mmCIF file of all heavy atoms in Angstrom:
data_model
loop_
_atom_site.group_PDB
_atom_site.id
_atom_site.type_symbol
_atom_site.label_atom_id
_atom_site.label_comp_id
_atom_site.label_asym_id
_atom_site.label_seq_id
_atom_site.Cartn_x
_atom_site.Cartn_y
_atom_site.Cartn_z
ATOM 1 N N CYS A 1 77.174 132.439 109.573
ATOM 2 C CA CYS A 1 77.335 133.456 108.535
ATOM 3 C C CYS A 1 77.592 134.830 109.159
ATOM 4 O O CYS A 1 78.462 135.584 108.716
ATOM 5 C CB CYS A 1 76.077 133.489 107.677
ATOM 6 S SG CYS A 1 76.197 134.525 106.236
ATOM 7 N N LEU A 2 76.834 135.142 110.208
ATOM 8 C CA LEU A 2 76.992 136.429 110.878
ATOM 9 C C LEU A 2 78.286 136.468 111.688
ATOM 10 O O LEU A 2 78.966 137.507 111.741
ATOM 11 C CB LEU A 2 75.790 136.686 111.786
ATOM 12 C CG LEU A 2 75.618 138.111 112.298
ATOM 13 C CD1 LEU A 2 75.344 139.074 111.151
ATOM 14 C CD2 LEU A 2 74.481 138.174 113.318
ATOM 15 N N ASP A 3 78.650 135.343 112.314
ATOM 16 C CA ASP A 3 79.877 135.290 113.124
ATOM 17 C C ASP A 3 81.114 135.603 112.294
ATOM 18 O O ASP A 3 82.090 136.159 112.809
ATOM 19 C CB ASP A 3 80.039 133.902 113.761
ATOM 20 C CG ASP A 3 79.065 133.665 114.904
ATOM 21 O OD1 ASP A 3 78.534 134.658 115.427
ATOM 22 O OD2 ASP A 3 78.838 132.495 115.251
ATOM 23 N N GLU A 4 81.088 135.229 111.028
ATOM 24 C CA GLU A 4 82.270 135.395 110.188
ATOM 25 C C GLU A 4 82.116 136.517 109.157
ATOM 26 O O GLU A 4 82.769 136.518 108.124
ATOM 27 C CB GLU A 4 82.589 134.066 109.495
ATOM 28 C CG GLU A 4 82.916 132.953 110.490
ATOM 29 C CD GLU A 4 83.552 131.740 109.844
ATOM 30 O OE1 GLU A 4 84.204 131.896 108.782
ATOM 31 O OE2 GLU A 4 83.382 130.629 110.387
ATOM 32 N N MET A 5 81.261 137.472 109.470
ATOM 33 C CA MET A 5 81.103 138.622 108.577
ATOM 34 C C MET A 5 82.340 139.515 108.653
ATOM 35 O O MET A 5 83.096 139.494 109.626
ATOM 36 C CB MET A 5 79.856 139.420 108.957
ATOM 37 C CG MET A 5 79.909 140.043 110.324
ATOM 38 S SD MET A 5 78.341 140.820 110.758
ATOM 39 C CE MET A 5 78.681 141.269 112.475
ATOM 40 N N ASN A 6 82.547 140.307 107.600
ATOM 41 C CA ASN A 6 83.695 141.203 107.525
ATOM 42 C C ASN A 6 83.228 142.642 107.410
ATOM 43 O O ASN A 6 82.242 142.939 106.718
ATOM 44 C CB ASN A 6 84.561 140.861 106.299
ATOM 45 C CG ASN A 6 85.126 139.464 106.379
ATOM 46 O OD1 ASN A 6 85.692 139.080 107.384
ATOM 47 N ND2 ASN A 6 84.940 138.688 105.318
ATOM 48 N N SER A 7 83.938 143.529 108.072
ATOM 49 C CA SER A 7 83.634 144.949 107.966
ATOM 50 C C SER A 7 84.202 145.501 106.662
ATOM 51 O O SER A 7 85.322 145.188 106.265
ATOM 52 C CB SER A 7 84.241 145.697 109.163
ATOM 53 O OG SER A 7 83.981 147.071 109.070
ATOM 54 N N ASP A 8 83.415 146.328 105.974
ATOM 55 C CA ASP A 8 83.818 146.924 104.699
ATOM 56 C C ASP A 8 83.293 148.354 104.680
ATOM 57 O O ASP A 8 82.128 148.594 104.356
ATOM 58 C CB ASP A 8 83.248 146.110 103.534
ATOM 59 C CG ASP A 8 83.615 146.685 102.166
ATOM 60 O OD1 ASP A 8 84.348 147.691 102.132
ATOM 61 O OD2 ASP A 8 83.164 146.142 101.150
ATOM 62 N N LEU A 9 84.143 149.299 105.073
ATOM 63 C CA LEU A 9 83.741 150.703 105.213
ATOM 64 C C LEU A 9 82.567 150.792 106.186
ATOM 65 O O LEU A 9 82.680 150.393 107.340
ATOM 66 C CB LEU A 9 83.382 151.291 103.840
ATOM 67 C CG LEU A 9 84.503 151.319 102.802
ATOM 68 C CD1 LEU A 9 83.977 151.832 101.473
ATOM 69 C CD2 LEU A 9 85.661 152.178 103.275
ATOM 70 N N ASP A 10 81.427 151.308 105.732
ATOM 71 C CA ASP A 10 80.246 151.435 106.586
ATOM 72 C C ASP A 10 79.330 150.221 106.490
ATOM 73 O O ASP A 10 78.197 150.259 106.966
ATOM 74 C CB ASP A 10 79.451 152.686 106.199
ATOM 75 C CG ASP A 10 80.221 153.960 106.466
ATOM 76 O OD1 ASP A 10 81.029 153.972 107.416
ATOM 77 O OD2 ASP A 10 80.023 154.943 105.726
ATOM 78 N N PHE A 11 79.811 149.137 105.891
ATOM 79 C CA PHE A 11 78.989 147.961 105.650
ATOM 80 C C PHE A 11 79.542 146.754 106.414
ATOM 81 O O PHE A 11 80.719 146.716 106.783
ATOM 82 C CB PHE A 11 78.956 147.631 104.159
ATOM 83 C CG PHE A 11 78.669 148.820 103.281
ATOM 84 C CD1 PHE A 11 79.690 149.441 102.573
ATOM 85 C CD2 PHE A 11 77.388 149.315 103.176
ATOM 86 C CE1 PHE A 11 79.431 150.543 101.775
ATOM 87 C CE2 PHE A 11 77.117 150.418 102.373
ATOM 88 C CZ PHE A 11 78.142 151.033 101.671
ATOM 89 N N LEU A 12 78.675 145.763 106.619
ATOM 90 C CA LEU A 12 79.088 144.464 107.126
ATOM 91 C C LEU A 12 78.777 143.432 106.051
ATOM 92 O O LEU A 12 77.621 143.253 105.657
ATOM 93 C CB LEU A 12 78.359 144.125 108.428
ATOM 94 C CG LEU A 12 78.759 144.962 109.645
ATOM 95 C CD1 LEU A 12 77.890 144.598 110.854
ATOM 96 C CD2 LEU A 12 80.231 144.771 109.994
ATOM 97 N N ARG A 13 79.823 142.781 105.577
ATOM 98 C CA ARG A 13 79.696 141.845 104.458
ATOM 99 C C ARG A 13 79.560 140.426 105.011
ATOM 100 O O ARG A 13 80.467 139.926 105.687
ATOM 101 C CB ARG A 13 80.926 141.974 103.572
ATOM 102 C CG ARG A 13 80.829 141.274 102.235
ATOM 103 C CD ARG A 13 82.136 141.420 101.467
ATOM 104 N NE ARG A 13 82.378 142.788 101.055
ATOM 105 C CZ ARG A 13 81.927 143.321 99.922
ATOM 106 N NH1 ARG A 13 81.195 142.586 99.100
ATOM 107 N NH2 ARG A 13 82.200 144.565 99.607
ATOM 108 N N LEU A 14 78.409 139.772 104.722
ATOM 109 C CA LEU A 14 78.205 138.401 105.177
ATOM 110 C C LEU A 14 79.162 137.463 104.458
ATOM 111 O O LEU A 14 79.457 137.640 103.282
ATOM 112 C CB LEU A 14 76.759 137.977 104.924
ATOM 113 C CG LEU A 14 75.695 138.795 105.681
ATOM 114 C CD1 LEU A 14 74.297 138.394 105.211
ATOM 115 C CD2 LEU A 14 75.817 138.593 107.178
ATOM 116 N N ASN A 15 79.646 136.466 105.190
ATOM 117 C CA ASN A 15 80.608 135.525 104.634
ATOM 118 C C ASN A 15 79.978 134.721 103.492
ATOM 119 O O ASN A 15 78.957 134.045 103.676
ATOM 120 C CB ASN A 15 81.097 134.582 105.735
ATOM 121 C CG ASN A 15 82.168 133.645 105.255
ATOM 122 O OD1 ASN A 15 81.888 132.641 104.605
ATOM 123 N ND2 ASN A 15 83.411 133.960 105.563
ATOM 124 N N LYS A 16 80.589 134.814 102.309
ATOM 125 C CA LYS A 16 79.987 134.233 101.116
ATOM 126 C C LYS A 16 79.881 132.715 101.197
ATOM 127 O O LYS A 16 78.839 132.130 100.871
ATOM 128 C CB LYS A 16 80.792 134.631 99.877
ATOM 129 C CG LYS A 16 80.155 134.203 98.568
ATOM 130 C CD LYS A 16 80.908 134.777 97.373
ATOM 131 C CE LYS A 16 80.226 134.414 96.054
ATOM 132 N NZ LYS A 16 80.923 135.010 94.889
ATOM 133 N N LYS A 17 80.943 132.039 101.640
ATOM 134 C CA LYS A 17 80.919 130.578 101.718
ATOM 135 C C LYS A 17 79.883 130.101 102.729
ATOM 136 O O LYS A 17 79.151 129.131 102.489
ATOM 137 C CB LYS A 17 82.309 130.053 102.075
ATOM 138 C CG LYS A 17 83.330 130.182 100.959
ATOM 139 C CD LYS A 17 84.660 129.550 101.350
ATOM 140 C CE LYS A 17 85.654 129.648 100.191
ATOM 141 N NZ LYS A 17 86.971 129.051 100.560
ATOM 142 N N LYS A 18 79.816 130.793 103.864
ATOM 143 C CA LYS A 18 78.833 130.414 104.882
ATOM 144 C C LYS A 18 77.411 130.706 104.412
ATOM 145 O O LYS A 18 76.483 129.934 104.661
ATOM 146 C CB LYS A 18 79.123 131.154 106.192
ATOM 147 C CG LYS A 18 80.475 130.837 106.813
ATOM 148 C CD LYS A 18 80.559 129.391 107.261
ATOM 149 C CE LYS A 18 81.882 129.094 107.941
ATOM 150 N NZ LYS A 18 81.997 127.668 108.359
ATOM 151 N N PHE A 19 77.255 131.825 103.725
ATOM 152 C CA PHE A 19 75.930 132.219 103.249
ATOM 153 C C PHE A 19 75.421 131.222 102.207
ATOM 154 O O PHE A 19 74.219 130.954 102.129
ATOM 155 C CB PHE A 19 75.986 133.627 102.658
ATOM 156 C CG PHE A 19 74.648 134.261 102.433
ATOM 157 C CD1 PHE A 19 73.823 134.596 103.500
ATOM 158 C CD2 PHE A 19 74.194 134.538 101.152
ATOM 159 C CE1 PHE A 19 72.584 135.185 103.301
ATOM 160 C CE2 PHE A 19 72.955 135.132 100.938
ATOM 161 C CZ PHE A 19 72.153 135.447 102.014
ATOM 162 N N MET A 20 76.314 130.651 101.446
ATOM 163 C CA MET A 20 75.933 129.668 100.431
ATOM 164 C C MET A 20 75.341 128.413 101.072
ATOM 165 O O MET A 20 74.518 127.718 100.469
ATOM 166 C CB MET A 20 77.158 129.309 99.591
ATOM 167 C CG MET A 20 76.852 128.581 98.302
ATOM 168 S SD MET A 20 78.342 128.363 97.305
ATOM 169 C CE MET A 20 78.688 130.065 96.849
ATOM 170 N N ASN A 21 75.735 128.137 102.321
ATOM 171 C CA ASN A 21 75.250 126.944 103.022
ATOM 172 C C ASN A 21 73.937 127.167 103.763
ATOM 173 O O ASN A 21 73.363 126.222 104.303
ATOM 174 C CB ASN A 21 76.313 126.471 104.030
ATOM 175 C CG ASN A 21 77.581 125.982 103.345
ATOM 176 O OD1 ASN A 21 77.527 125.441 102.245
ATOM 177 N ND2 ASN A 21 78.723 126.179 103.984
ATOM 178 N N VAL A 22 73.473 128.422 103.815
ATOM 179 C CA VAL A 22 72.226 128.716 104.525
ATOM 180 C C VAL A 22 71.045 128.177 103.713
ATOM 181 O O VAL A 22 70.947 128.441 102.511
ATOM 182 C CB VAL A 22 72.074 130.238 104.739
ATOM 183 C CG1 VAL A 22 70.710 130.546 105.365
ATOM 184 C CG2 VAL A 22 73.190 130.771 105.626
ATOM 185 N N PRO A 23 70.133 127.414 104.334
ATOM 186 C CA PRO A 23 68.965 126.898 103.592
ATOM 187 C C PRO A 23 68.151 128.028 102.971
ATOM 188 O O PRO A 23 67.931 129.065 103.599
ATOM 189 C CB PRO A 23 68.161 126.163 104.678
ATOM 190 C CG PRO A 23 69.166 125.814 105.735
ATOM 191 C CD PRO A 23 70.152 126.943 105.729
ATOM 192 N N ASN A 24 67.710 127.817 101.750
ATOM 193 C CA ASN A 24 67.047 128.870 100.981
ATOM 194 C C ASN A 24 65.530 128.678 101.025
ATOM 195 O O ASN A 24 64.933 128.111 100.115
ATOM 196 C CB ASN A 24 67.557 128.858 99.535
ATOM 197 C CG ASN A 24 67.108 130.071 98.750
ATOM 198 O OD1 ASN A 24 66.794 131.105 99.332
ATOM 199 N ND2 ASN A 24 67.067 129.949 97.441
ATOM 200 N N PHE A 25 64.894 129.175 102.116
ATOM 201 C CA PHE A 25 63.458 129.031 102.308
ATOM 202 C C PHE A 25 62.823 130.385 102.589
ATOM 203 O O PHE A 25 63.478 131.291 103.099
ATOM 204 C CB PHE A 25 63.151 128.105 103.493
ATOM 205 C CG PHE A 25 63.395 126.647 103.213
ATOM 206 C CD1 PHE A 25 64.647 126.088 103.412
ATOM 207 C CD2 PHE A 25 62.368 125.829 102.754
ATOM 208 C CE1 PHE A 25 64.878 124.750 103.160
ATOM 209 C CE2 PHE A 25 62.594 124.485 102.498
ATOM 210 C CZ PHE A 25 63.847 123.945 102.699
ATOM 211 N N SER A 26 61.532 130.472 102.286
ATOM 212 C CA SER A 26 60.796 131.661 102.690
ATOM 213 C C SER A 26 60.484 131.559 104.180
ATOM 214 O O SER A 26 60.364 130.459 104.747
ATOM 215 C CB SER A 26 59.501 131.809 101.889
ATOM 216 O OG SER A 26 58.534 130.888 102.331
ATOM 217 N N PHE A 27 60.311 132.710 104.820
ATOM 218 C CA PHE A 27 59.999 132.749 106.255
ATOM 219 C C PHE A 27 58.631 132.123 106.517
ATOM 220 O O PHE A 27 58.445 131.433 107.525
ATOM 221 C CB PHE A 27 60.034 134.202 106.739
ATOM 222 C CG PHE A 27 59.928 134.352 108.231
ATOM 223 C CD1 PHE A 27 60.964 133.980 109.062
ATOM 224 C CD2 PHE A 27 58.774 134.890 108.799
ATOM 225 C CE1 PHE A 27 60.875 134.127 110.438
ATOM 226 C CE2 PHE A 27 58.666 135.045 110.170
ATOM 227 C CZ PHE A 27 59.719 134.664 110.996
ATOM 228 N N ASP A 28 57.682 132.345 105.615
ATOM 229 C CA ASP A 28 56.346 131.768 105.787
ATOM 230 C C ASP A 28 56.408 130.242 105.847
ATOM 231 O O ASP A 28 55.846 129.612 106.743
ATOM 232 C CB ASP A 28 55.431 132.188 104.635
ATOM 233 C CG ASP A 28 55.042 133.658 104.709
ATOM 234 O OD1 ASP A 28 55.252 134.265 105.770
ATOM 235 O OD2 ASP A 28 54.555 134.190 103.701
ATOM 236 N N ILE A 29 57.091 129.652 104.857
ATOM 237 C CA ILE A 29 57.124 128.188 104.758
ATOM 238 C C ILE A 29 57.979 127.580 105.858
ATOM 239 O O ILE A 29 57.594 126.589 106.492
ATOM 240 C CB ILE A 29 57.643 127.762 103.365
ATOM 241 C CG1 ILE A 29 56.605 128.135 102.296
ATOM 242 C CG2 ILE A 29 57.954 126.272 103.323
ATOM 243 C CD1 ILE A 29 57.070 127.901 100.877
ATOM 244 N N ALA A 30 59.139 128.175 106.134
ATOM 245 C CA ALA A 30 60.070 127.585 107.094
ATOM 246 C C ALA A 30 59.593 127.730 108.533
ATOM 247 O O ALA A 30 59.706 126.786 109.328
ATOM 248 C CB ALA A 30 61.452 128.225 106.943
ATOM 249 N N ILE A 31 59.037 128.893 108.876
ATOM 250 C CA ILE A 31 58.718 129.171 110.280
ATOM 251 C C ILE A 31 57.223 129.357 110.518
ATOM 252 O O ILE A 31 56.612 128.664 111.340
ATOM 253 C CB ILE A 31 59.486 130.426 110.764
ATOM 254 C CG1 ILE A 31 60.996 130.263 110.529
ATOM 255 C CG2 ILE A 31 59.177 130.692 112.234
ATOM 256 C CD1 ILE A 31 61.624 129.052 111.200
ATOM 257 N N MET A 32 56.587 130.279 109.801
ATOM 258 C CA MET A 32 55.210 130.651 110.130
ATOM 259 C C MET A 32 54.230 129.490 109.970
ATOM 260 O O MET A 32 53.254 129.390 110.729
ATOM 261 C CB MET A 32 54.760 131.844 109.283
ATOM 262 C CG MET A 32 55.532 133.132 109.559
ATOM 263 S SD MET A 32 55.483 133.659 111.285
ATOM 264 C CE MET A 32 53.763 134.142 111.453
ATOM 265 N N GLU A 33 54.483 128.603 109.014
ATOM 266 C CA GLU A 33 53.579 127.467 108.828
ATOM 267 C C GLU A 33 53.840 126.353 109.845
ATOM 268 O O GLU A 33 53.084 125.379 109.900
ATOM 269 C CB GLU A 33 53.703 126.920 107.407
ATOM 270 C CG GLU A 33 53.165 127.873 106.345
ATOM 271 C CD GLU A 33 53.179 127.285 104.960
ATOM 272 O OE1 GLU A 33 53.583 126.108 104.804
ATOM 273 O OE2 GLU A 33 52.780 127.987 104.002
ATOM 274 N N ASN A 34 54.878 126.496 110.651
ATOM 275 C CA ASN A 34 55.243 125.445 111.601
ATOM 276 C C ASN A 34 55.284 125.919 113.048
ATOM 277 O O ASN A 34 55.697 125.170 113.924
ATOM 278 C CB ASN A 34 56.618 124.877 111.223
ATOM 279 C CG ASN A 34 56.614 124.189 109.873
ATOM 280 O OD1 ASN A 34 56.024 123.123 109.717
ATOM 281 N ND2 ASN A 34 57.246 124.814 108.892
ATOM 282 N N THR A 35 54.847 127.130 113.307
ATOM 283 C CA THR A 35 54.831 127.649 114.669
ATOM 284 C C THR A 35 53.408 127.758 115.185
ATOM 285 O O THR A 35 52.472 127.952 114.407
ATOM 286 C CB THR A 35 55.511 129.036 114.734
ATOM 287 O OG1 THR A 35 55.519 129.485 116.093
ATOM 288 C CG2 THR A 35 54.787 130.065 113.872
ATOM 289 N N LYS A 36 53.247 127.641 116.502
ATOM 290 C CA LYS A 36 51.953 127.859 117.144
ATOM 291 C C LYS A 36 51.873 129.270 117.725
ATOM 292 O O LYS A 36 50.888 129.605 118.405
ATOM 293 C CB LYS A 36 51.733 126.822 118.243
ATOM 294 C CG LYS A 36 51.627 125.396 117.701
ATOM 295 C CD LYS A 36 51.383 124.389 118.800
ATOM 296 C CE LYS A 36 51.274 122.972 118.237
ATOM 297 N NZ LYS A 36 51.044 121.963 119.317
ATOM 298 N N LEU A 37 52.902 130.083 117.452
ATOM 299 C CA LEU A 37 52.947 131.447 117.981
ATOM 300 C C LEU A 37 52.454 132.481 116.971
ATOM 301 O O LEU A 37 52.474 133.677 117.246
ATOM 302 C CB LEU A 37 54.384 131.799 118.401
ATOM 303 C CG LEU A 37 55.039 130.882 119.440
ATOM 304 C CD1 LEU A 37 56.459 131.359 119.739
ATOM 305 C CD2 LEU A 37 54.203 130.839 120.713
ATOM 306 N N GLY A 38 52.021 132.026 115.797
ATOM 307 C CA GLY A 38 51.620 132.950 114.738
ATOM 308 C C GLY A 38 50.343 133.709 115.072
ATOM 309 O O GLY A 38 49.338 133.121 115.483
ATOM 310 N N THR A 39 50.396 135.004 114.921
ATOM 311 C CA THR A 39 49.262 135.895 115.194
ATOM 312 C C THR A 39 49.133 136.872 114.040
ATOM 313 O O THR A 39 50.134 137.407 113.561
ATOM 314 C CB THR A 39 49.494 136.673 116.506
ATOM 315 O OG1 THR A 39 49.574 135.747 117.592
ATOM 316 C CG2 THR A 39 48.364 137.665 116.764
ATOM 317 N N VAL A 40 47.894 137.123 113.600
ATOM 318 C CA VAL A 40 47.678 138.067 112.513
ATOM 319 C C VAL A 40 46.815 139.224 113.008
ATOM 320 O O VAL A 40 45.816 139.025 113.700
ATOM 321 C CB VAL A 40 47.033 137.383 111.279
ATOM 322 C CG1 VAL A 40 45.696 136.756 111.609
ATOM 323 C CG2 VAL A 40 46.910 138.376 110.130
ATOM 324 N N LEU A 41 47.240 140.440 112.676
ATOM 325 C CA LEU A 41 46.459 141.644 112.940
ATOM 326 C C LEU A 41 45.980 142.200 111.607
ATOM 327 O O LEU A 41 46.779 142.329 110.674
ATOM 328 C CB LEU A 41 47.321 142.697 113.636
ATOM 329 C CG LEU A 41 47.356 142.726 115.164
ATOM 330 C CD1 LEU A 41 48.361 143.763 115.650
ATOM 331 C CD2 LEU A 41 45.980 143.020 115.743
ATOM 332 N N PRO A 42 44.689 142.527 111.475
ATOM 333 C CA PRO A 42 44.221 143.107 110.210
ATOM 334 C C PRO A 42 44.798 144.502 110.005
ATOM 335 O O PRO A 42 44.789 145.329 110.916
ATOM 336 C CB PRO A 42 42.701 143.142 110.374
ATOM 337 C CG PRO A 42 42.456 143.083 111.845
ATOM 338 C CD PRO A 42 43.602 142.321 112.436
ATOM 339 N N LEU A 43 45.325 144.743 108.815
ATOM 340 C CA LEU A 43 45.938 146.027 108.463
ATOM 341 C C LEU A 43 45.095 146.682 107.369
ATOM 342 O O LEU A 43 44.930 146.128 106.290
ATOM 343 C CB LEU A 43 47.373 145.809 107.967
ATOM 344 C CG LEU A 43 48.123 147.039 107.451
ATOM 345 C CD1 LEU A 43 48.356 148.039 108.577
ATOM 346 C CD2 LEU A 43 49.462 146.629 106.821
ATOM 347 N N ASP A 44 44.574 147.868 107.680
ATOM 348 C CA ASP A 44 43.759 148.605 106.718
ATOM 349 C C ASP A 44 44.378 149.994 106.585
ATOM 350 O O ASP A 44 43.976 150.943 107.251
ATOM 351 C CB ASP A 44 42.311 148.696 107.211
ATOM 352 C CG ASP A 44 41.359 149.207 106.140
ATOM 353 O OD1 ASP A 44 41.821 149.435 105.002
ATOM 354 O OD2 ASP A 44 40.163 149.382 106.437
ATOM 355 N N ALA A 45 45.416 150.100 105.751
ATOM 356 C CA ALA A 45 46.201 151.333 105.699
ATOM 357 C C ALA A 45 46.604 151.707 104.280
ATOM 358 O O ALA A 45 47.615 152.374 104.079
ATOM 359 C CB ALA A 45 47.453 151.182 106.581
#
């Protein structure tokens, strides 16, 4: 999708056909729940 992006003025337009084929998952479910590298820092802000 990124390889076939097109420049449009000050923007980069992702390729629509390629983007349609990208799996539609949340980052938590696709990666964070399946990695052993996950680390959490408490945020109190």
Side-chain angles (χ1 to χ4, degrees):
C1 188
L2 194 65
D3 287 341
E4 298 194 27
M5 64 186 174
N6 298 310
S7 179
D8 179 2
L9 298 176
D10 295 329
F11 312 103
L12 290 176
R13 191 183 292 273
L14 298 173
N15 184 281
K16 186 173 183 178
K17 289 184 178 179
K18 298 295 183 181
F19 194 66
M20 195 174 292
N21 294 328
V22 175
N24 190 23
F25 286 87
S26 75
F27 188 71
D28 288 346
I29 292 174
I31 305 302
M32 295 303 291
E33 291 185 1
N34 296 290
T35 182
K36 295 181 180 179
L37 303 180
T39 297
V40 59
L41 269 175
L43 175 65
D44 191 3

